[in-house]
């Protein structure tokens, strides 16, 4: 069980941390767009589309990692007074009632969304835009799946801590706190 | 009123209650959106097919947006600058220049915050940097913990108001107005707020010298030529960045996204030339930027579901009807909105307030009429700026001011949370006064975009 939790956790985290390197090609692309346009006659529409493609990938691949890393905003003004066990129960309930249904629905819908795009050979509406819209659209289900997996990891961790706290060995939660 | 009509109100109240559970805001937003979508289906006011529209909207407004690419670029730029060592140099320089002034060190910190604000668009980086860099020095020099922490907290949060700012990019996106216009409109009020801080610090230190002992003269300044050289060396990089980013947007040479990308590139060059950018540091910068970006856009993804369902259930008509039937005039509505934002600021941050409250109230902005005080064409811009200044308070007001949260982690010995809470009060008052000033004199916000863009 622990190995499963750790394995999935390092998969989500690994994908997220690697995706952070996309900042560099994104920045390079913006600079190239500004400078290159002055000297070469490049279709700027295509470059701009490539920019939001890259950012789309970047953000979709990092959200799950963000949850495990504990960066997502929480209003902890009241909950910080709860006991450790109560907070763990809230985390479990939140994952079951909010995260899984909402992100699960988005995952289910986005699979069709990307598939439709692939089947119809959807391309940019701009003449000089990129073809193959399905590529960026398939990052939607991938990203949502990563968030779902991060939910599984966090739920398993909360469950494990609940068991530990019952058997007396109280472990202080650190991962779940906001570290912004 | 039937239950179906009241659903949006119940939805909003449910959200507020559940947010306090401490579960991530973004997931609560999405979950509540989904739940009330299902309830709406039961009452026949929401259709199953509309869930697909939420996905399409997330794709369309979050992913497929060239303008929003500016946000990760500004985040990357800010995180890079924080690690570039630019702040240390600037603070030392400012200290040397201002040692004679009452509260000179505190003024240096405010000026450093202002310069950092004009180069970066995010807040976390500046607050942490100033707390680590300046708070220990202020306390060691005998400044009262209240003044020291109030100065650091207020200076660190200027970043979100003074352009470039990711908050203004997001607001422009939500209000369907141009980012450049919003940047220009925020510039004078932002600098005004910084100036008000400086005046307050000098005045209070002059009146009560005990809270701010005079600084001993720093390193000798007699060699005028070397000072000039150092001045240039220290101020040149940030000034070039400010000029590149803000200047190119104002002059219409570059889109916001282009300016942000160039800014990030410039910040990277500065960090490289200062020899700070080793591979491990680069990885940290990238991952920290990625996490901040993910945090911001996840709220966007959650808020999209919430506001879509809220509107589909008739929420915006409800808000409009409620405001119309109250018979309140435009000024009362504006004051009410400002009060709401201020109160919400005690519990929420700019991100939640901007992404939840703004979509709910934005449709009524153009309906407000301020006669000759503000031309109807500029009302939305003016209100956006008033809200932005007002949102500054959300960083500082306890119990949940994000700045206080950042500071909690890295305060030096001798500074307690209670010192910080007391220390920020005068600065919150100054922020409120600035909101009132811009409300009374709209030209403070509207003059610059008019002369530059028209």
């Amino acid at each position: 069980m622990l190995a499963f939790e750790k394995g999935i956790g390092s998969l989500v985290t690994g994908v997220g941390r690697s995706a952070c390197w996309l900042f560099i090609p994104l920045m390079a692309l913006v600079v190239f767009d500004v400078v290159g346009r002055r000297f070469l006659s490049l279709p700027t529409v295509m470059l701009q589309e490539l920019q939001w493609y890259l950012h789309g990938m970047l953000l979709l691949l990092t959200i799950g990692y963000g949850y495990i890393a504990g960066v997502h905003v929480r209003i902890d003004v009241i909950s910080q007074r709860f006991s450790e066990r109560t907070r763990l129960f809230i985390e479990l309930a939140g994952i079951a009632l909010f995260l899984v249904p909402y992100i699960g629905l988005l995952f289910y819908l986005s699979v069709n969304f990307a598939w439709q795009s692939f089947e119809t050979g959807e391309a940019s509406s701009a003449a000089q835009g990129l073809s193959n819209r399905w590529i960026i659209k398939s990052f939607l289900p991938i990203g949502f799946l990563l968030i779902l997996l991060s939910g599984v990891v966090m739920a398993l961790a909360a469950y494990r801590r609940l068991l530990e706290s019952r058997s007396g060995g109280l472990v202080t939660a650190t991962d779940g706190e906001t570290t912004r | 009123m039937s239950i179906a009509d009241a659903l949006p109100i119940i939805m909003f109240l449910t959200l507020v209650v559940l947010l306090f559970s401490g579960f991530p805001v973004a997931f609560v937003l999405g979950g509540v959106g989904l739940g009330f979508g299902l309830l709406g289906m039961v009452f026949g006011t929401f259709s199953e097919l509309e869930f697909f529209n939420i996905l399409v909207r997330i794709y369309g407004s979050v992913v497929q947006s060239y303008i929003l690419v500016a946000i990760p670029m500004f985040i990357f730029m800010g995180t890079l600058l924080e690690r570039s060592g630019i702040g240390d140099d600037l603070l030392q320089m400012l200290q040397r220049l201002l040692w004679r002034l009452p509260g000179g060190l505190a003024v240096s910190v405010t000026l450093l915050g202002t310069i950092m604000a004009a180069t970066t668009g995010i807040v976390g980086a500046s607050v942490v940097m100033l707390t680590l860099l300046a708070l220990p020095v202020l306390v060691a020099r005998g400044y009262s913990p209240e003044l020291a922490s109030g100065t650091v907290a207020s200076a660190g949060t200027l970043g979100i108001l003074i352009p470039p700012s990711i908050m203004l990019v997001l607001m422009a996106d939500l209000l369907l107005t141009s980012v450049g216009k919003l940047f220009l409109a925020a510039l004078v009020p932002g600098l005004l707020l910084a100036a008000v801080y400086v005046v307050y610090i000098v005045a209070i230190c002059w009146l009560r010298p005990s809270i701010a002992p005079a600084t001993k003269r720093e390193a000798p300044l007699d060699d005028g030529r070397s000072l000039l050289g150092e001045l240039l060396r220290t101020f040149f990089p940030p000034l070039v960045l400010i000029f590149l980013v803000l200047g190119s947007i104002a002059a219409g040479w570059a889109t916001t996204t282009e300016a942000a990308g160039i800014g990030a590139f410039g910040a990277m060059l500065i960090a490289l030339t200062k020899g700070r950018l080793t591979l491990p540091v680069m990885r940290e910068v990238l991952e920290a930027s990625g996490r901040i970006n993910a945090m911001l856009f996840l709220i966007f993804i959650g808020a999209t579901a919430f506001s879509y369902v809220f509107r589909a259930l008739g929420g915006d008509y409800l808000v409009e009807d409620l405001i119309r039937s109250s018979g309140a005039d435009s000024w009362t509505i504006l004051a009410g909105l400002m009060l709401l934002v201020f109160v919400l600021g005690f519990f929420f941050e700019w991100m939640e307030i901007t992404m939840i409250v703004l979509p709910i109230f934005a449709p009524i902005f153009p309906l407000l009429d301020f006669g000759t005080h503000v031309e109807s064409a500029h009302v939305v811009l003016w209100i956006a700026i008033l809200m932005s200044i007002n949102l500054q308070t959300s960083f500082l007001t306890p119990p949940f001011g994000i700045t206080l949260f950042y500071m909690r982690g890295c305060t030096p010995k001798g500074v307690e949370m209670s010192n910080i809470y007391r220390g920020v009060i005068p600065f919150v008052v100054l922020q409120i006064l600035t909101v009132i000033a811009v409300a009374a004199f709209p030209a403070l916000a509207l003059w610059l975009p008019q002369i530059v863009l028209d």
Side-chain angles (χ1 to χ4, degrees):
Chain A
M1 196 71 151
L2 188 64
F4 181 70
E5 179 196 323
K6 289 259 146 69
I8 304 284
S10 51
L11 170 76
V12 176
T13 307
V15 171
R17 291 175 61 177
S18 317
C20 290
W21 287 89
L22 287 171
F23 273 108
I24 292 180
L26 179 56
M27 180 189 76
L29 205 60
V30 178
V31 174
F32 182 72
D33 182 20
V34 179
V35 180
R37 205 176 46 203
R38 307 268 181 270
F39 305 105
L40 313 161
S41 57
L42 285 163
T44 196
V45 176
M46 195 183 87
L47 287 174
Q48 291 187 350
E49 288 194 357
L50 215 51
Q51 286 166 32
W52 64 253
Y53 264 48
L54 278 180
H55 178 232
M57 294 175 195
L58 168 67
L59 81 95
L60 286 164
L61 296 178
T62 48
I63 292 174
Y65 155 60
Y67 184 34
I68 294 177
V71 293
H72 293 308
V73 186
R74 297 163 185 266
I75 311 295
D76 58 359
V77 52
I78 293 176
S79 65
Q80 65 190 356
R81 280 165 218 186
F82 296 162
S83 71
E84 160 100 33
R85 285 181 64 84
T86 313
R87 270 186 276 153
L88 291 172
F89 271 120
I90 290 176
E91 199 70 22
L92 277 175
I95 293 169
L97 295 174
F98 299 141
L99 190 153
V100 171
Y102 178 54
I103 303 296
L105 176 75
L106 289 179
F107 171 71
Y108 167 76
L109 294 172
S110 63
V111 170
N112 289 334
F113 189 56
W115 181 245
Q116 267 178 22
S117 172
F118 178 72
E119 272 201 326
T120 56
E122 186 196 2
S124 169
S125 51
Q128 288 176 315
L130 298 167
S131 50
N132 293 323
R133 268 288 188 270
W134 63 272
I135 297 176
I136 181 65
K137 286 192 174 174
S138 32
F139 276 87
L140 288 165
I142 296 171
F144 293 133
L145 185 64
L146 286 168
I147 304 176
L148 281 175
L149 289 177
S150 74
V152 171
V153 172
M154 293 298 276
L156 286 174
Y159 181 68
R160 181 167 48 81
R161 288 222 196 89
L162 269 177
L163 291 183
E164 282 167 1
S165 74
R166 201 168 55 187
S167 61
L170 250 176
V171 185
T172 40
T174 47
D175 326 13
E177 275 174 27
T178 22
T179 48
R180 283 164 299 132
Chain B
M1 191 187 265
S2 69
I3 296 182
D5 290 337
L7 266 187
I9 302 179
I10 305 172
M11 183 182 185
F12 191 76
L13 295 178
T14 311
L15 174 76
V16 171
V17 172
L18 288 174
L19 282 180
F20 285 104
S21 68
F23 195 64
V25 168
F27 295 133
V28 177
L29 278 165
V32 170
L34 173 60
F36 277 82
L38 294 174
L39 264 179
M41 280 165 62
V42 173
F43 287 100
T45 48
F46 194 82
S47 121
E48 192 189 331
L49 294 169
E50 289 186 87
F51 285 122
F52 192 69
N53 295 350
I54 296 176
L55 176 73
V56 173
R57 190 161 295 190
I58 287 173
Y59 173 75
S61 61
V62 182
V63 179
Q64 187 180 9
S65 167
Y66 168 69
I67 295 169
L68 291 183
V69 175
I71 290 180
M73 286 294 97
F74 279 133
I75 292 174
F76 185 43
M77 177 183 174
T79 325
L80 270 169
L81 275 179
E82 180 201 2
R83 302 298 297 265
S84 69
I86 228 181
D88 314 51
D89 296 355
L90 277 170
L91 187 63
Q92 275 182 10
M93 201 62 205
L94 289 165
Q95 255 174 278
R96 287 177 60 183
L97 292 172
L98 297 171
W99 67 277
R100 220 185 268 275
L101 201 67
L105 187 55
V107 173
S108 309
V109 173
T110 303
L111 292 182
L112 173 61
T114 312
I115 298 172
M116 292 307 286
T119 46
T120 79
I122 54 175
V123 144
S126 318
V127 174
V128 173
M129 195 191 79
L130 286 178
T131 310
L132 291 174
L133 206 67
L135 197 53
V137 187
L138 284 164
V139 174
R141 294 282 170 82
Y143 277 73
S144 79
E146 279 83 10
L147 180 64
S149 47
T151 303
V152 167
S154 60
T157 49
L158 282 169
I160 210 69
L161 178 61
I162 297 180
S165 137
I166 54 171
M167 176 177 78
L168 297 174
V169 176
L170 208 58
M171 273 194 176
D173 191 63
L174 291 167
L175 291 171
L176 308 174
T177 174
S178 103
V179 182
K181 217 180 196 176
L182 215 49
F183 273 14
L184 286 170
L187 190 60
V188 174
L191 294 178
L192 174 71
L193 188 60
V196 169
Y197 290 164
V198 170
V199 170
Y200 165 77
I201 292 169
V202 174
I204 194 89
C205 292
W206 185 63
L207 290 171
R208 296 171 52 199
S210 64
I211 60 167
T215 323
K216 281 190 288 301
R217 198 168 179 167
E218 301 284 330
L221 282 176
D222 23 60
D223 187 358
R225 270 178 62 195
S226 84
L227 177 71
L228 193 68
E230 265 188 74
L231 263 179
L232 275 177
R233 201 177 52 81
T234 317
F235 284 99
F236 188 67
L239 288 181
V240 168
L241 272 188
I242 295 173
F243 175 77
L244 267 181
V245 175
L246 287 184
S248 59
I249 296 173
W253 294 335
T255 64
T256 317
T257 307
E258 289 169 353
I262 299 282
F265 187 63
M268 201 177 199
L269 289 183
I270 291 175
L272 275 174
T273 52
K274 285 191 179 286
R276 299 291 180 101
L277 210 58
T278 58
L279 195 63
V281 171
M282 190 65 201
R283 173 170 299 159
E284 273 175 50
V285 167
L286 286 166
E287 290 176 4
S289 311
R291 289 194 299 265
I292 299 171
N293 194 53
M295 161 187 91
L296 191 99
F297 279 98
L298 180 62
I299 300 187
F300 211 140
I301 289 176
T304 302
F306 181 84
S307 45
Y308 184 89
V309 175
F310 183 81
R311 278 199 183 160
L313 296 177
D316 43 355
Y317 295 113
L318 194 71
V319 171
E320 233 183 279
D321 283 354
L322 278 178
I323 290 175
R324 275 233 177 89
S325 63
S326 71
D329 64 6
S330 295
W331 280 105
T332 317
I333 295 168
L334 182 66
L337 180 69
M338 288 298 132
L339 191 67
L340 178 74
V341 170
F342 180 72
V343 172
L344 286 174
F346 280 86
F347 307 102
F348 305 104
E349 283 178 59
W350 71 267
M351 280 182 280
E352 297 95 299
I353 300 176
T354 309
M355 287 188 250
I356 302 169
V357 175
L358 202 58
I360 293 179
F361 287 97
I364 60 165
F365 291 175
L367 307 177
L368 300 181
D369 177 20
F370 296 92
T372 53
H373 191 69
V374 178
E375 274 178 63
S376 55
H378 300 131
V379 165
V380 173
L381 187 63
W382 179 56
I383 296 180
I385 298 301
L386 289 177
M387 249 185 96
S388 311
I389 311 170
N390 196 344
L391 279 170
Q392 286 267 308
T393 61
S394 73
F395 290 99
L396 301 183
T397 42
F400 192 83
I402 187 64
T403 308
L404 313 178
F405 187 88
Y406 283 125
M407 291 177 76
R408 194 160 66 192
C410 42
T411 46
K413 263 202 181 122
V415 180
E416 303 293 328
M417 274 322 274
S418 57
N419 295 136
I420 303 183
Y421 287 159
R422 271 201 303 273
V424 297
I425 294 172
F427 292 93
V428 172
V429 173
L430 294 174
Q431 290 167 343
I432 298 172
L433 290 177
T434 310
V435 174
I436 295 172
V438 177
F441 305 102
L444 286 171
L446 302 175
W447 173 76
L448 195 61
Q450 266 165 12
I451 60 156
V452 174
L453 298 177
D454 293 343

